[in-house]
Amino acid sequence: MADQTSHGIGGLTYDKSKRAWPNEANVFIALVLIILIFEALGQILPYMNGQSMLFDFNTNRDGTILNIARIKIVILQVSIIGIIALGVTQVIISGGIDLSSGPLVGAAAMIVMSFAQTELVNGNPNPKAVFGPWSFDLPVIIPILVGLAFGALIGAINGTFIALTRIPPFIATLGMFLICRGIAQWWTKGQPVSFPTEQYAALGAGMMPVVWFVLLAAVFFVIMKFTVYGKHTYAIGSNEDAARMSGINVKRHKILVYMIAGMLAAFAAIVLSSKNLTAQAGMGQFYELYAIAMAVIGGVSLTGGRGSIVGTVLGAMVFGVIQSGFTFIKLDAFYQLMAMGAIIISAVVLDQWRQQRAAMRS
Amino acid sequence: MSDIILETRNLTKHYGGVHALQDANFVLRKGEHVAIMGDNGAGKSTFVRQITGVEQRTRGDIIFDGKPVNFSGPIDAREAGIETVFQTLALADDLDVPDNLFLGREITKWNFLGPFRLLDYRSMREATLAGLEKTAVKIPNIRNSIRNMSGGQRQCVAIARTATFHSKLTIMDEPTAALGVQETAQVENIIRTLKEAGEPLILVSHNMRQVFDLVDRVVVFRRGRICANLDIKNEDISGEDVVAYITGAKTQAGYEDAA
């Protein structure tokens, strides 16, 4: 009894100082450390001649010290996969997994591009035309809507199978992985689709992918943190039975989560095909794995219930810095793949170790 | 207006050929705390599952708050005002206390946004504090995730839901089965607070000491039937008597067909 009165009603208030150290802070520290490591490697490795990854001392003509060009490349590289990772983050938090996002990018890019083609290329008819004359020079909103609808449809199929048949998400989305690759190749019998309208080409031109990524990250940050949708996503991933007993429509919610993930992957396809001015059936190879890696590096727990959009954005930055860092220190591509794999495994192990420690402390 | 909050008439549940619950006639009055006891498989949990709508009864009537009811699920029952603390805690580990209390019935604003309507964190926090204060539940920081709380604290959070939502009837299915001594005391204190507040309670328990400490009346189940209805507050009934009813050594007058 005496012990119970020691923390009375007074202790009930919201006390910021007692809050746990946020996982995102760890990811941020890791990001800074990794940047410093690559900086150091640039100085140490004999064949680098004291080059820097971030600081461009040689071409420091316009008075800036930061290597803006390289930083731009890093962010640009991760933006498109980052958009997919925003959706994958929600799926993983809800306790699922989405392996179909990479092939979905390929299929969506093919389909969208065929609605975004221009009639005349340098005065000649478009050599890559998929449909008849009606499909040329459509307003840009049409390919966008077609793409989002396709992504939503694929996501809804994923979600419906997972929610209603209770087959593991891994299997359902693995099947969809193959189906989407098939759709991408079947759409034009393997031919690339090219020559989009100017409006469409503007969607992914220059730094636009970064703009989309930042914008969507902000939107989904708010959605995951401040809306019922976000709360229920965490609840389902944390304890599905509790969520069901609390009156949450778990099936409907899961379908919605996969639909949003599908739409984000399709939007990534729009930005990617616009940036490249072409769509190919093989587009988005490994993107599903990279998107999952970004989320996991950012602290999203594969068992569901934990993680955040901020974490995934930071995870995407870590991913980008490591990838471009490897290129920077002239590590061959096959070593890069091996190292990436090792880093992903380490991130999960670290996360579990941290969780165990947190559980022991309390 | 009668003072009966819950009544069951000939409540029966068969699982195939198994008669898990047979003609249970049960009455709970306003403000009354009743314990349900019985051996494993005697029908206690089956009885609770019929009332809370987790399962659909084979036959019989349930009259709750003066009206016959047919709950299609636990959510229905909760909306009608029956709050259940299940043996397995229905809590989401990664959410904090207000999130758990309001899970599935969040206070929201901007409702035109559908699933993307905004959470009113401040209102939920205030209601949580009020509910916890009412039950005298002590939790160091309600913004911590449930994962880092002790079993007793988690059970208290589950119970505090009832106080927060002004339920008409609370049902607890072995709320202290997995708890330590001190945590059990904490949960029992909450039950006393509910009693003082005049909130009716059905307590499923195996703990004789707890039952004699807390409740007004004991209803004993045996092999799917009610075999005794004991007014332990006013009559001279000992723990041995209750054990005798549970094991079948004795059957109360009026319940002979349960023998």
Side-chain angles (χ1 to χ4, degrees), chain B residues 61-130:
Chain B
D61 298 308
I62 298 171
I63 298 114
F64 177 64
D65 206 18
K67 292 182 289 288
V69 287
N70 277 305
F71 299 130
S72 61
I75 295 127
D76 253 19
R78 200 178 62 183
E79 271 162 16
I82 299 180
E83 198 76 29
T84 313
V85 180
F86 291 100
Q87 219 166 347
T88 50
L89 296 176
L91 297 173
D93 272 348
D94 300 298
L95 303 184
D96 66 15
V97 178
D99 286 348
N100 266 293
L101 249 56
F102 285 90
L103 198 56
R105 48 186 157 181
E106 293 83 1
I107 302 177
T108 56
K109 45 195 178 186
W110 294 18
N111 290 333
F112 60 91
L113 291 173
F116 302 109
R117 62 194 184 275
L118 294 181
L119 295 161
D120 188 350
Y121 276 119
R122 175 203 272 269
S123 302
M124 286 195 275
R125 219 155 44 219
E126 280 164 5
T128 302
L129 288 174

Side-chain angles (χ1 to χ4, degrees), chain A residues 1-5 7-9 11-20 220 222-232 234-235 237-239 241-248 256 260 304-306 355 358-359 362, chain B residues 74-75 78 86 88-96 99-100 102-106 108 114-121 125 129 132-133 136-144 147-149 153 161 182-183 185-186 189:
Chain A
M1 282 297 145
D3 180 58
Q4 282 179 35
T5 49
H7 46 257
I9 298 295
L12 278 171
T13 42
Y14 163 40
D15 185 351
K16 263 197 167 139
S17 68
K18 282 187 182 160
R19 295 208 69 187
F220 281 98
V222 171
I223 285 178
M224 288 304 282
K225 207 170 171 70
F226 298 109
T227 74
V228 170
Y229 167 85
K231 195 58 71 189
H232 288 183
Y234 281 98
S238 187
N239 186 344
D241 289 330
R244 192 175 298 111
M245 290 218 281
S246 303
I248 297 172
L256 186 58
I260 287 175
R306 269 176 294 131
Q355 291 303 327
S362 64
Chain B
I75 295 127
R78 200 178 62 183
F86 291 100
T88 50
L89 296 176
L91 297 173
D93 272 348
D94 300 298
L95 303 184
D96 66 15
D99 286 348
N100 266 293
F102 285 90
L103 198 56
R105 48 186 157 181
E106 293 83 1
T108 56
F116 302 109
R117 62 194 184 275
L118 294 181
L119 295 161
D120 188 350
Y121 276 119
R125 219 155 44 219
L129 288 174
L132 292 176
E133 239 164 298
V137 171
K138 283 129 189 161
I139 286 159
N141 185 357
I142 61 167
R143 292 291 299 270
N144 278 348
R147 180 182 298 281
N148 299 326
M149 292 185 182
Q153 284 174 332
R161 279 185 190 173
Q182 197 168 9
E183 294 173 335
Q186 209 174 346
N189 272 342

Side-chain angles (χ1 to χ4, degrees), chain A residues 19-21 26 353-362, chain B residues 148:
Chain A
R19 295 208 69 187
W21 176 254
N26 291 340
W353 175 72
R354 209 182 70 86
Q355 291 303 327
Q356 276 168 6
R357 231 176 36 142
M360 264 162 25
R361 257 202 314 269
S362 64
Chain B
N148 299 326

